[in-house]
Amino acid sequence: MELDELARRLDEAYRATAARFPQPGVRIEKVKNRAGQEQDTLILTGLDKVEEPESLHLLRHRVARRQPLVDLPELLLEIQARTGFASEFAHISEGRSRLDDLPTSICAVLLAEACNVGLTPLVRKGIPALERDRLLYVQQNYIRPDTLSRANARLVDYQATIPLAKSWGGGEVASADGLRFIVPLRTLNAGPNPKYFGTGRGMYVIWNLENSQITCIMWTTSAFLLKSFQRMAGVFHIITLVNYTSDQFSGFKNIVVTGTLRDSLVVLEGLLNQETGLHPKELMTDTASYSDVMFGLFHLLGYQFSPRLADVGESRFWRIDASADYSVLNGLARQTINRNLIKENWDDLLRVAGSLKLGTVNVTELLRALQGNGHPSTLAKAIAELGRIAKTLYLLAYIDDPSYRRRILIQLNKGESRHSLARATYFGQKGEVRQRYREGQEEQLGALGLVVNAMVLWNTLYMDRAMEEMRGRGMKIAPEDVERLSPLGYDHINLLGRYTFSLSDEIRQGAFHPLRELEEAEQELEESVESAHEVREA
């Protein structure tokens, strides 16, 4: 049975780690627990900074100087021409003929959504692909989560073919991290985040809608007070974009969740439900995504779960053989696995894994059901018990191998650097999400992920060309320096558009711009308001 094999692996891992202990930056100290009793506690210090050689600084400078200056619209059109991603945007009816110059309209709408500026700056009279009516039509009928996902897969798969991207990784390692956005609207798909405020509590920033200033910050456990403040003023809520970043810097999946949902409930979903040609086997996350159940599900599905642990000293180490002697690690391995619980539910565990693999069960809904509002089922307990074995195997590797810890840190930094690029791109309306409903939020943030991937792909292509040109000149480039390059720079990309300072001859000679014509509905509203005003005066 697999459980016997796990027992053997766990025993060998304990003995191998104990034989090499202590490693640099790892030690065991006696620390008093809450009951006042001294017990062995693992202390892990941070990794030393790896110094960057002068050759790496020089390579970055030479590559950056060779990258062309480009406007974001031109970049999108170029990536569309190279990949054809716009062909994945089909009309919602699936039966309409395609419009002329549709890729231009799609790129314009994507840019409007990703930069959070709306369609107005993209409208150009006299250019059919950029007329307002065309852009509105494309936005309503072509931009959907499914079309965005397919188009994004094209970019990710194209990125994987570039030699430079292959030097960064083979697509088998990924990270997941949440990028949080303020939603200054009343919406069911946003809420306070317990990671920061605790369960049952919330901090609300009260925004004065008249002078656009923060007037009060409230932190309370009272539901009555929270509702009272919500009625008095606008309340900031949060949604989280969980982004999955491959070791090639491409984002292969985005999931929008409410501010009240823990990242750990969705981290596995990005591996199971993605459409790219990448096949990640290991997922790295921050501590917030860690749970024994998650370790168990990852193990059942054949994935490696590798969270960065903020305080490894609080982690529990589990053993299967209660009588085994693990030398210096005996004091850490205080908990014993309940083998019977796993054996008795083994068939059900396999059925859960099969259902998740086949997609007949949604992993997020499954986790909610297993947790049962704080009362986990027997099956959930069995998954968690299995997860404790997988977690302990991971912990032993984590403390035994500094290079493993550094590899996790490097991958997580890739995801965080992508977030910086996404923040710079999503600059309009103070970087807030103004979509009230979940579908609109998913479409807008999906467009943001697609545009960021287009910039990553464009950078990778031109960085690769730059190094080809350098090698052609006889310049030596160290492979270890290439591995540390990043395609997430954007100083050479104009994200903000261009301003024109032209004035027509008519205006220069004193004429005025024509007033805008009211739409029929606006005109009727204006007339009704005027009539009501006359009645009040009478």
Side-chain angles (χ1 to χ4, degrees), residues 206-275:
I206 307 303
W207 187 258
N208 188 315
L209 299 178
E210 294 182 358
N211 60 17
S212 297
Q213 293 181 353
I214 293 176
T215 59
C216 173
I217 295 180
M218 178 180 66
W219 185 27
T220 179
T221 60
S222 169
F224 173 77
L225 285 177
L226 291 179
K227 290 181 179 179
S228 299
F229 272 87
Q230 288 174 1
R231 287 193 295 267
M232 291 166 54
V235 179
F236 285 162
H237 290 287
I238 291 172
I239 60 173
T240 300
L241 177 67
V242 181
N243 184 53
Y244 296 78
T245 304
S246 75
D247 52 7
Q248 298 177 341
F249 288 93
S250 55
F252 61 87
K253 180 72 175 181
N254 289 323
I255 299 177
V256 178
V257 299
T258 65
T260 56
L261 191 63
R262 284 181 56 118
D263 293 350
S264 61
L265 290 178
V266 298
V267 292
L268 188 54
E269 186 172 334
L271 296 180
L272 294 173
N273 302 318
Q274 59 101 4
E275 301 182 62

Side-chain angles (χ1 to χ4, degrees), residues 49-339:
K49 182 180 179 180
V50 176
E51 296 298 328
E52 295 184 343
E54 184 61 30
S55 60
L56 176 58
H57 289 289
L58 185 59
L59 177 61
R60 283 176 179 157
H61 174 73
R62 286 174 170 172
V63 170
R65 293 288 294 172
R66 284 169 168 77
Q67 284 187 281
L69 302 177
V70 65
D71 292 342
L72 184 55
E74 182 185 0
L75 183 152
L76 277 180
L77 289 172
E78 180 178 348
I79 293 301
Q80 144 57 25
R82 296 187 185 281
T83 66
F85 71 80
S87 63
E88 300 292 350
F89 290 89
H91 191 280
I92 193 169
S93 72
E94 300 290 346
R96 300 290 186 90
S97 59
R98 292 182 69 82
L99 302 170
D100 293 336
D101 204 8
L102 180 60
T104 299
S105 303
I106 287 173
C107 288
V109 173
L110 290 174
L111 190 146
E113 297 280 20
C115 295
N116 203 25
V117 295
L119 295 177
T120 298
L122 286 304
V123 173
R124 295 291 183 273
K125 290 184 177 180
I127 303 178
L130 297 177
E131 292 277 2
R132 179 177 292 278
D133 289 346
R134 163 72 81 87
L135 295 181
L136 283 170
Y137 180 81
V138 169
Q139 185 180 48
Q140 294 168 4
N141 293 283
Y142 288 86
I143 308 299
R144 305 186 303 278
D146 61 310
T147 56
L148 286 164
S149 179
R150 292 196 298 269
N152 194 61
R154 280 220 185 188
L155 302 188
V156 173
D157 292 343
Y158 195 99
Q159 171 93 354
T161 66
I162 303 173
L164 177 56
K166 293 178 181 179
S167 71
W168 293 327
E172 295 182 348
V173 176
S175 59
D177 195 16
L179 180 61
R180 290 170 176 82
F181 292 88
I182 288 174
V183 184
L185 303 169
R186 294 184 181 276
T187 171
L188 294 176
N189 196 48
N193 195 319
K195 173 183 175 182
Y196 300 110
F197 312 131
T199 303
R201 298 185 292 178
M203 184 178 81
Y204 286 84
V205 180
I206 307 303
W207 187 258
N208 188 315
L209 299 178
E210 294 182 358
N211 60 17
S212 297
Q213 293 181 353
I214 293 176
T215 59
C216 173
I217 295 180
M218 178 180 66
W219 185 27
T220 179
T221 60
S222 169
F224 173 77
L225 285 177
L226 291 179
K227 290 181 179 179
S228 299
F229 272 87
Q230 288 174 1
R231 287 193 295 267
M232 291 166 54
V235 179
F236 285 162
H237 290 287
I238 291 172
I239 60 173
T240 300
L241 177 67
V242 181
N243 184 53
Y244 296 78
T245 304
S246 75
D247 52 7
Q248 298 177 341
F249 288 93
S250 55
F252 61 87
K253 180 72 175 181
N254 289 323
I255 299 177
V256 178
V257 299
T258 65
T260 56
L261 191 63
R262 284 181 56 118
D263 293 350
S264 61
L265 290 178
V266 298
V267 292
L268 188 54
E269 186 172 334
L271 296 180
L272 294 173
N273 302 318
Q274 59 101 4
E275 301 182 62
T276 74
L278 301 182
H279 301 286
K281 296 299 182 184
E282 182 175 13
L283 185 70
M284 299 166 178
T285 70
D286 271 324
T287 306
S289 303
Y290 148 69
S291 71
D292 291 341
V293 170
M294 192 58 64
F295 267 106
L297 288 175
F298 267 75
H299 177 79
L300 284 170
L301 292 167
Y303 296 118
Q304 173 61 49
F305 187 39
S306 302
R308 175 172 56 184
L309 302 176
D311 189 357
V312 70
E314 295 182 356
S315 301
R316 291 185 174 185
F317 286 71
W318 296 76
R319 60 165 70 211
I320 293 179
D321 186 351
S323 61
D325 181 12
Y326 297 134
S327 182
V328 68
L329 300 181
N330 279 331
L332 293 178
R334 295 186 291 269
Q335 286 78 26
T336 304
I337 294 293
N338 183 351
R339 296 186 61 161

Side-chain angles (χ1 to χ4, degrees), residues 470-491:
M470 291 163 61
R471 292 188 183 101
R473 290 177 174 233
M475 298 182 184
K476 292 184 178 180
I477 301 176
E480 58 270 22
D481 289 340
V482 175
E483 292 174 2
R484 299 177 68 177
L485 293 178
S486 168
L488 297 174
Y490 56 90
D491 288 345

